[in-house]
């Protein structure tokens, strides 16, 4: 009578674990390809705000399937009270948040803002901004937002944005 043979032991006890872990990046890459088609890789825009004029530019870093796009954004604000550049900011953003049954999407941004000495509240502050964007013609779209800052308070704005 022959006894059943045991399968040979692997030389590397973690080979099964390694093979399973190799699937994680492959699945993440596949899921990233499901990002919304309207997601922009680069954007630049300008807003007329309640406290002055604002410009911003950003870049997408990572599409998040079924949610939106994570990116970085920088901006600058001028106000008549400061007599020129009053704020420079940099932060992260979550964009392309689909608003169902509309042709618009939302965005949330946050980061650090440096307020120049020309303003009453100079120094570094924290800002949060949220709003909506929609298409106009080709890469041009409209944008509305509300921003709050620990140094300059709350402001609202509307403007145009090019998405590439």
């Amino acid at each position: 009578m022959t006894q059943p043979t045991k399968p040979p032991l692997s030389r590397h006890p973690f080979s099964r674990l390694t093979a399973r872990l190799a699937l994680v990046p492959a699945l993440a890459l596949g899921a990233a390809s499901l990002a919304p088609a309207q997601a922009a890789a680069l954007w630049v825009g300008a807003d007329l705000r309640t406290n002055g004029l604002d410009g911003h530019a950003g870049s997408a870093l990572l599409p998040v399937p079924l949610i939106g796009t994570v990116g970085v954004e920088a901006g600058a604000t001028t106000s008549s009270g400061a007599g020129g550049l009053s704020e420079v900011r940099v932060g992260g953003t979550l964009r392309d948040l689909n608003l169902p049954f509309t042709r618009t999407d939302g965005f949330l941004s946050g980061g650090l803002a440096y307020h120049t000495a020309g303003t009453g509240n100079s120094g570094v502050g924290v800002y949060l901004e949220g709003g909506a964007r929609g298409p106009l013609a080709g890469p041009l779209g409209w944008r509305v937002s509300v921003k709050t800052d620990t140094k300059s308070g709350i402001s609202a704005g509307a403007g145009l944005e090019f998405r590439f």
Side-chain angles (χ1 to χ4, degrees):
M1 218 172 167
T2 60
Q3 292 190 1
T5 60
K6 293 182 183 178
L9 293 175
S10 171
R11 292 182 192 175
H12 305 287
F14 296 106
S15 63
R16 284 187 182 171
L17 180 62
T18 304
R20 288 181 184 171
L21 289 177
L23 289 175
V24 174
L27 290 173
L29 185 59
S33 68
L34 298 175
Q38 76 275 13
L42 300 169
W43 57 89
V44 61
D47 296 339
L48 179 59
R49 302 195 70 80
T50 55
N51 63 349
L53 297 174
D54 184 80
H56 63 277
S59 175
L61 296 178
L62 177 69
V64 180
L66 306 174
I67 296 176
T69 303
V70 174
V72 293
E73 189 171 75
T77 301
T78 63
S79 68
S80 57
L85 187 65
S86 62
E87 173 187 297
V88 178
R89 66 184 179 280
V90 65
T93 184
L94 179 58
R95 297 174 56 93
D96 307 320
L97 301 169
N98 186 28
L99 301 175
F101 309 111
T102 69
R103 292 187 54 184
T104 63
D105 52 68
F107 65 92
L108 298 169
S109 300
L112 297 176
Y114 175 73
H115 298 268
T116 63
T119 62
N121 294 321
S122 63
V124 176
V126 176
Y127 78 93
L128 293 172
E129 182 177 23
R133 308 174 312 136
L136 283 176
L140 180 64
W142 57 267
R143 164 186 149 117
V144 294
S145 67
V146 174
K147 184 176 75 144
T148 183
D149 189 310
T150 57
K151 294 286 185 178
S152 63
I154 296 176
S155 68
L160 299 174
E161 184 174 85
F162 282 100
R163 300 173 215 149
F164 308 99

